[in-house]
């Protein structure tokens, strides 16, 4: 069973980032297939995060919603505001995100 909820529209995106008080919202932007590592993160941090995913090949304007230029990318929100973005899923930057997610909001 996938760990992420799928975002299929801008209203899904807005609802996701604004409706999860008490947890980070973690959105993975991907092309065609989500990486297994992304699923591992979602499962590992499910107590502190609400994980979502969006396929930017199906939703052309998703990069604009997320303010990114490339996929894969991870964007973390808290209380409707962007906390951090990791374009290209750089491993060292994702380690920083992991530390943040471990602590929770």
């Amino acid at each position: 069973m996938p760990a992420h909820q799928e975002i299929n529209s801008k209203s899904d995106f807005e609802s996701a980032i604004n409706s999860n008080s008490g947890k980070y919202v973690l959105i993975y932007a991907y092309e065609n297939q989500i990486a297994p590592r992304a699923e591992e993160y979602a499962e590992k941090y499910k107590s502190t995060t609400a994980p979502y995913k969006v396929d930017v090949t199906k939703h052309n304007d998703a990069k604009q919603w997320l303010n990114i230029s490339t996929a894969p990318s991870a964007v973390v929100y808290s209380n409707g505001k962007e906390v951090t973005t990791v374009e290209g899923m750089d491993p060292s930057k994702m380690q920083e995100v992991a530390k943040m997610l471990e602590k929770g909001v």
Side-chain angles (χ1 to χ4, degrees), residues 18-30:
N18 289 306
S19 66
N20 291 288
S21 63
K23 288 187 170 188
Y24 286 112
V25 173
L26 176 63
I27 301 177
Y28 282 102
Y30 66 99

Side-chain angles (χ1 to χ4, degrees), residues 4-5 7 12-28 45 48-53 66 74-85 97 100-101 104-105:
H4 295 85
Q5 291 182 5
I7 293 175
D12 284 356
F13 165 73
E14 290 171 353
S15 179
I17 67 170
N18 289 306
S19 66
N20 291 288
S21 63
K23 288 187 170 188
Y24 286 112
V25 173
L26 176 63
I27 301 177
Y28 282 102
Y45 301 111
T48 61
T49 358
Y52 293 86
K53 62 184 177 180
L66 296 166
V75 186
V76 180
Y77 296 86
S78 179
N79 297 319
K81 301 201 184 312
E82 184 180 319
V83 175
T84 190
T85 299
V97 169
M100 179 180 68
L101 298 179
V105 176

Side-chain angles (χ1 to χ4, degrees), residues 26-97:
L26 176 63
I27 301 177
Y28 282 102
Y30 66 99
E31 294 177 331
N32 300 312
Q33 185 174 2
I34 194 161
R37 184 168 172 219
E39 292 290 351
E40 290 169 20
Y41 259 65
E43 187 62 33
K44 183 174 182 177
Y45 301 111
K46 66 182 174 186
S47 65
T48 61
T49 358
Y52 293 86
K53 62 184 177 180
V54 61
D55 185 343
V56 298
T57 62
K58 292 180 183 175
H59 307 287
N60 296 330
D61 46 355
K63 286 182 180 178
Q64 184 178 6
W65 311 332
L66 296 166
N67 196 29
I68 60 170
S69 59
T70 189
S73 290
V75 186
V76 180
Y77 296 86
S78 179
N79 297 319
K81 301 201 184 312
E82 184 180 319
V83 175
T84 190
T85 299
V86 180
E87 291 199 54
M89 304 293 290
D90 175 84
S92 63
K93 290 181 182 175
M94 286 306 296
Q95 285 181 342
E96 292 174 25
V97 169

